[in-house]
Short mmCIF file of all heavy atoms in Angstrom, two decimals:
data_model
loop_
_atom_site.label_atom_id
_atom_site.label_comp_id
_atom_site.label_asym_id
_atom_site.label_seq_id
_atom_site.Cartn_x
_atom_site.Cartn_y
_atom_site.Cartn_z
N PRO A 129 39.60 4.81 -44.87
CA PRO A 129 40.03 3.64 -44.09
C PRO A 129 39.42 3.68 -42.69
O PRO A 129 38.96 4.73 -42.23
CB PRO A 129 41.55 3.80 -44.03
CG PRO A 129 41.77 5.27 -44.16
CD PRO A 129 40.68 5.77 -45.06
N ASN A 130 39.44 2.54 -42.01
CA ASN A 130 38.93 2.52 -40.64
C ASN A 130 39.96 3.15 -39.69
O ASN A 130 41.07 3.50 -40.09
CB ASN A 130 38.57 1.09 -40.22
CG ASN A 130 39.75 0.15 -40.26
OD1 ASN A 130 40.91 0.57 -40.30
ND2 ASN A 130 39.46 -1.14 -40.28
N HIS A 131 39.57 3.30 -38.45
CA HIS A 131 40.42 3.98 -37.46
C HIS A 131 41.77 3.28 -37.29
O HIS A 131 42.82 3.94 -37.26
CB HIS A 131 39.69 4.05 -36.12
CG HIS A 131 40.53 4.60 -35.01
ND1 HIS A 131 40.83 5.93 -34.92
CD2 HIS A 131 41.15 3.99 -33.98
CE1 HIS A 131 41.61 6.13 -33.87
NE2 HIS A 131 41.81 4.96 -33.27
N ALA A 132 41.78 1.95 -37.21
CA ALA A 132 43.03 1.22 -36.99
C ALA A 132 44.01 1.43 -38.15
O ALA A 132 45.19 1.69 -37.93
CB ALA A 132 42.74 -0.27 -36.79
N ALA A 133 43.52 1.33 -39.38
CA ALA A 133 44.40 1.52 -40.54
C ALA A 133 44.92 2.95 -40.61
O ALA A 133 46.09 3.19 -40.90
CB ALA A 133 43.66 1.15 -41.82
N ALA A 134 44.06 3.92 -40.32
CA ALA A 134 44.47 5.32 -40.34
C ALA A 134 45.54 5.59 -39.30
O ALA A 134 46.50 6.33 -39.55
CB ALA A 134 43.27 6.23 -40.13
N GLN A 135 45.40 4.99 -38.13
CA GLN A 135 46.40 5.20 -37.08
C GLN A 135 47.74 4.57 -37.44
O GLN A 135 48.80 5.09 -37.08
CB GLN A 135 45.88 4.67 -35.74
CG GLN A 135 44.71 5.47 -35.18
CD GLN A 135 45.01 6.95 -35.04
OE1 GLN A 135 46.05 7.34 -34.50
NE2 GLN A 135 44.11 7.78 -35.54
N VAL A 136 47.72 3.45 -38.16
CA VAL A 136 48.96 2.84 -38.65
C VAL A 136 49.66 3.82 -39.60
O VAL A 136 50.87 4.04 -39.51
CB VAL A 136 48.69 1.49 -39.34
CG1 VAL A 136 49.92 1.00 -40.10
CG2 VAL A 136 48.25 0.45 -38.32
N ALA A 137 48.90 4.42 -40.50
CA ALA A 137 49.48 5.38 -41.45
C ALA A 137 50.06 6.59 -40.71
O ALA A 137 51.15 7.06 -41.04
CB ALA A 137 48.42 5.83 -42.45
N ILE A 138 49.36 7.08 -39.72
CA ILE A 138 49.83 8.24 -38.96
C ILE A 138 51.12 7.89 -38.23
O ILE A 138 52.07 8.67 -38.21
CB ILE A 138 48.73 8.73 -38.00
CG1 ILE A 138 47.60 9.37 -38.81
CG2 ILE A 138 49.29 9.70 -36.97
CD1 ILE A 138 46.34 9.64 -38.02
N THR A 139 51.18 6.70 -37.66
CA THR A 139 52.39 6.24 -36.97
C THR A 139 53.56 6.16 -37.95
O THR A 139 54.70 6.45 -37.58
CB THR A 139 52.14 4.86 -36.33
OG1 THR A 139 51.04 4.97 -35.43
CG2 THR A 139 53.36 4.38 -35.58
N ARG A 140 53.28 5.78 -39.19
CA ARG A 140 54.32 5.69 -40.21
C ARG A 140 54.70 7.05 -40.79
O ARG A 140 55.58 7.15 -41.63
CB ARG A 140 53.84 4.77 -41.34
CG ARG A 140 53.64 3.33 -40.90
CD ARG A 140 53.13 2.45 -42.02
NE ARG A 140 54.11 2.40 -43.08
CZ ARG A 140 53.80 2.44 -44.38
NH1 ARG A 140 52.56 2.53 -44.77
NH2 ARG A 140 54.76 2.37 -45.28
N GLY A 141 54.02 8.13 -40.38
CA GLY A 141 54.35 9.47 -40.85
C GLY A 141 53.67 9.87 -42.15
O GLY A 141 54.08 10.83 -42.80
N ILE A 142 52.62 9.16 -42.50
CA ILE A 142 51.87 9.47 -43.73
C ILE A 142 50.77 10.47 -43.40
O ILE A 142 50.11 10.36 -42.37
CB ILE A 142 51.28 8.18 -44.34
CG1 ILE A 142 52.40 7.22 -44.73
CG2 ILE A 142 50.40 8.50 -45.54
CD1 ILE A 142 51.92 5.85 -45.18
N PHE A 143 50.58 11.44 -44.30
CA PHE A 143 49.53 12.44 -44.12
C PHE A 143 48.33 12.10 -45.00
O PHE A 143 48.49 11.51 -46.07
CB PHE A 143 50.06 13.83 -44.49
CG PHE A 143 50.98 14.41 -43.46
CD1 PHE A 143 52.30 14.01 -43.39
CD2 PHE A 143 50.51 15.33 -42.55
CE1 PHE A 143 53.16 14.53 -42.44
CE2 PHE A 143 51.35 15.87 -41.59
CZ PHE A 143 52.67 15.45 -41.54
N PHE A 144 47.16 12.51 -44.55
CA PHE A 144 45.93 12.34 -45.33
C PHE A 144 45.57 13.70 -45.91
O PHE A 144 45.65 14.72 -45.23
CB PHE A 144 44.79 11.83 -44.45
CG PHE A 144 44.96 10.40 -44.05
CD1 PHE A 144 45.63 10.07 -42.89
CD2 PHE A 144 44.45 9.38 -44.83
CE1 PHE A 144 45.81 8.75 -42.52
CE2 PHE A 144 44.62 8.05 -44.47
CZ PHE A 144 45.30 7.74 -43.30
N GLU A 145 45.17 13.69 -47.17
CA GLU A 145 44.86 14.94 -47.86
C GLU A 145 43.38 15.01 -48.19
O GLU A 145 42.80 14.06 -48.70
CB GLU A 145 45.67 15.02 -49.15
CG GLU A 145 45.38 16.25 -49.97
CD GLU A 145 46.14 16.25 -51.28
OE1 GLU A 145 45.98 15.29 -52.06
OE2 GLU A 145 46.89 17.21 -51.51
N ILE A 146 42.80 16.17 -47.91
CA ILE A 146 41.43 16.49 -48.29
C ILE A 146 41.52 17.63 -49.29
O ILE A 146 42.10 18.67 -49.01
CB ILE A 146 40.59 16.90 -47.07
CG1 ILE A 146 40.51 15.75 -46.07
CG2 ILE A 146 39.21 17.36 -47.50
CD1 ILE A 146 39.94 16.13 -44.73
N CYS A 147 40.95 17.45 -50.47
CA CYS A 147 40.99 18.47 -51.52
C CYS A 147 39.66 19.21 -51.52
O CYS A 147 38.63 18.68 -51.94
CB CYS A 147 41.26 17.84 -52.88
SG CYS A 147 42.86 17.01 -52.94
N TYR A 148 39.70 20.46 -51.07
CA TYR A 148 38.45 21.19 -50.84
C TYR A 148 37.75 21.64 -52.12
O TYR A 148 36.55 21.89 -52.12
CB TYR A 148 38.68 22.38 -49.90
CG TYR A 148 39.66 23.42 -50.38
CD1 TYR A 148 39.29 24.40 -51.29
CD2 TYR A 148 40.96 23.44 -49.89
CE1 TYR A 148 40.18 25.36 -51.71
CE2 TYR A 148 41.87 24.40 -50.31
CZ TYR A 148 41.48 25.36 -51.21
OH TYR A 148 42.37 26.31 -51.62
N ALA A 149 38.45 21.75 -53.24
CA ALA A 149 37.78 22.16 -54.48
C ALA A 149 36.79 21.11 -54.96
O ALA A 149 35.89 21.42 -55.75
CB ALA A 149 38.80 22.46 -55.57
N GLN A 150 36.92 19.88 -54.49
CA GLN A 150 35.94 18.84 -54.83
C GLN A 150 34.55 19.24 -54.35
O GLN A 150 33.56 18.87 -54.98
CB GLN A 150 36.35 17.51 -54.21
CG GLN A 150 37.60 16.91 -54.77
CD GLN A 150 38.07 15.69 -53.99
OE1 GLN A 150 37.54 15.38 -52.93
NE2 GLN A 150 39.07 15.02 -54.51
N ALA A 151 34.48 20.00 -53.27
CA ALA A 151 33.18 20.42 -52.75
C ALA A 151 32.48 21.37 -53.71
O ALA A 151 31.24 21.43 -53.75
CB ALA A 151 33.34 21.10 -51.40
N PHE A 152 33.23 22.11 -54.51
CA PHE A 152 32.64 23.06 -55.45
C PHE A 152 32.14 22.38 -56.71
O PHE A 152 31.28 22.92 -57.40
CB PHE A 152 33.66 24.14 -55.85
CG PHE A 152 34.36 24.79 -54.70
CD1 PHE A 152 35.70 25.09 -54.78
CD2 PHE A 152 33.70 25.09 -53.52
CE1 PHE A 152 36.37 25.69 -53.73
CE2 PHE A 152 34.35 25.69 -52.46
CZ PHE A 152 35.68 25.98 -52.56
N HIS A 153 32.68 21.22 -57.02
CA HIS A 153 32.39 20.59 -58.31
C HIS A 153 31.62 19.28 -58.21
O HIS A 153 31.20 18.75 -59.23
CB HIS A 153 33.69 20.33 -59.08
CG HIS A 153 34.51 21.56 -59.27
ND1 HIS A 153 34.13 22.61 -60.07
CD2 HIS A 153 35.70 21.94 -58.73
CE1 HIS A 153 35.03 23.56 -60.04
NE2 HIS A 153 36.00 23.18 -59.23
N CYS A 154 31.45 18.72 -57.01
CA CYS A 154 30.75 17.43 -56.91
C CYS A 154 29.24 17.66 -56.84
O CYS A 154 28.77 18.70 -56.39
CB CYS A 154 31.26 16.62 -55.72
SG CYS A 154 30.77 17.22 -54.11
N LYS A 155 28.51 16.66 -57.28
CA LYS A 155 27.05 16.76 -57.30
C LYS A 155 26.47 16.60 -55.90
O LYS A 155 25.47 17.21 -55.57
CB LYS A 155 26.48 15.72 -58.25
CG LYS A 155 26.86 15.96 -59.69
CD LYS A 155 26.35 14.87 -60.60
CE LYS A 155 26.82 15.13 -62.03
NZ LYS A 155 26.52 14.06 -62.93
N GLU A 156 27.07 15.74 -55.10
CA GLU A 156 26.56 15.47 -53.75
C GLU A 156 27.47 16.13 -52.71
O GLU A 156 28.39 15.50 -52.20
CB GLU A 156 26.49 13.97 -53.51
CG GLU A 156 25.54 13.24 -54.43
CD GLU A 156 25.47 11.77 -54.07
OE1 GLU A 156 25.37 11.44 -52.88
OE2 GLU A 156 25.52 10.96 -55.00
N ARG A 157 27.21 17.37 -52.41
CA ARG A 157 28.05 18.07 -51.44
C ARG A 157 27.92 17.45 -50.06
O ARG A 157 28.86 17.45 -49.28
CB ARG A 157 27.67 19.56 -51.38
CG ARG A 157 28.16 20.30 -52.61
CD ARG A 157 27.94 21.76 -52.48
NE ARG A 157 28.82 22.28 -51.44
CZ ARG A 157 29.05 23.54 -51.23
NH1 ARG A 157 28.46 24.43 -51.99
NH2 ARG A 157 29.84 23.94 -50.27
N SER A 158 26.74 16.92 -49.74
CA SER A 158 26.57 16.30 -48.43
C SER A 158 27.49 15.09 -48.28
O SER A 158 28.04 14.85 -47.19
CB SER A 158 25.11 15.90 -48.20
OG SER A 158 24.71 14.95 -49.15
N LEU A 159 27.70 14.33 -49.35
CA LEU A 159 28.63 13.19 -49.32
C LEU A 159 30.05 13.68 -49.05
O LEU A 159 30.77 13.08 -48.25
CB LEU A 159 28.58 12.41 -50.64
CG LEU A 159 29.59 11.28 -50.79
CD1 LEU A 159 29.32 10.19 -49.76
CD2 LEU A 159 29.53 10.72 -52.20
N PHE A 160 30.45 14.78 -49.69
CA PHE A 160 31.78 15.34 -49.47
C PHE A 160 31.97 15.68 -48.00
O PHE A 160 32.96 15.28 -47.38
CB PHE A 160 31.98 16.59 -50.34
CG PHE A 160 33.29 17.28 -50.08
CD1 PHE A 160 34.44 16.85 -50.71
CD2 PHE A 160 33.37 18.34 -49.19
CE1 PHE A 160 35.65 17.47 -50.46
CE2 PHE A 160 34.57 18.97 -48.95
CZ PHE A 160 35.72 18.54 -49.58
N PHE A 161 31.04 16.40 -47.41
CA PHE A 161 31.21 16.83 -46.02
C PHE A 161 31.08 15.67 -45.04
O PHE A 161 31.73 15.66 -44.00
CB PHE A 161 30.23 17.95 -45.68
CG PHE A 161 30.60 19.24 -46.37
CD1 PHE A 161 29.83 19.74 -47.41
CD2 PHE A 161 31.75 19.93 -46.02
CE1 PHE A 161 30.18 20.91 -48.05
CE2 PHE A 161 32.11 21.10 -46.66
CZ PHE A 161 31.33 21.59 -47.68
N THR A 162 30.29 14.66 -45.38
CA THR A 162 30.21 13.46 -44.55
C THR A 162 31.55 12.74 -44.55
O THR A 162 32.04 12.30 -43.50
CB THR A 162 29.10 12.51 -45.08
OG1 THR A 162 27.86 13.20 -45.03
CG2 THR A 162 29.04 11.24 -44.26
N ASN A 163 32.18 12.63 -45.72
CA ASN A 163 33.49 11.98 -45.80
C ASN A 163 34.57 12.78 -45.10
O ASN A 163 35.46 12.20 -44.47
CB ASN A 163 33.87 11.74 -47.27
CG ASN A 163 33.15 10.55 -47.87
OD1 ASN A 163 32.68 9.68 -47.16
ND2 ASN A 163 33.06 10.52 -49.18
N VAL A 164 34.51 14.10 -45.19
CA VAL A 164 35.48 14.93 -44.47
C VAL A 164 35.35 14.71 -42.97
O VAL A 164 36.35 14.53 -42.27
CB VAL A 164 35.31 16.43 -44.83
CG1 VAL A 164 36.13 17.30 -43.89
CG2 VAL A 164 35.71 16.67 -46.27
N LYS A 165 34.12 14.70 -42.49
CA LYS A 165 33.91 14.46 -41.06
C LYS A 165 34.44 13.09 -40.66
O LYS A 165 35.08 12.93 -39.62
CB LYS A 165 32.43 14.57 -40.71
CG LYS A 165 32.14 14.38 -39.23
CD LYS A 165 30.67 14.40 -38.94
CE LYS A 165 30.35 14.20 -37.49
NZ LYS A 165 31.06 13.15 -36.81
N ARG A 166 34.19 12.10 -41.50
CA ARG A 166 34.65 10.73 -41.20
C ARG A 166 36.18 10.66 -41.15
O ARG A 166 36.75 10.03 -40.27
CB ARG A 166 34.10 9.76 -42.23
CG ARG A 166 34.62 8.36 -42.09
CD ARG A 166 33.55 7.32 -41.99
NE ARG A 166 34.08 5.99 -42.11
CZ ARG A 166 34.68 5.32 -41.14
NH1 ARG A 166 34.81 5.87 -39.96
NH2 ARG A 166 35.13 4.09 -41.32
N ILE A 167 36.86 11.30 -42.09
CA ILE A 167 38.32 11.22 -42.09
C ILE A 167 38.91 11.98 -40.91
O ILE A 167 39.92 11.57 -40.34
CB ILE A 167 38.94 11.69 -43.43
CG1 ILE A 167 40.41 11.29 -43.47
CG2 ILE A 167 38.87 13.15 -43.62
CD1 ILE A 167 40.83 10.72 -44.74
#
Side-chain angles (χ1 to χ4, degrees):
N130 60 18
H131 174 74
Q135 292 305 312
V136 168
I138 290 169
T139 303
R140 295 178 63 220
I142 298 173
F143 286 79
F144 289 89
E145 177 184 57
I146 298 169
C147 298
Y148 61 81
Q150 293 172 352
F152 310 141
H153 304 292
C154 72
K155 294 176 183 173
E156 297 183 45
R157 286 187 68 168
S158 62
L159 175 64
F160 176 84
F161 289 109
T162 300
N163 283 339
V164 169
K165 182 184 180 314
R166 174 126 169 80
I167 193 136

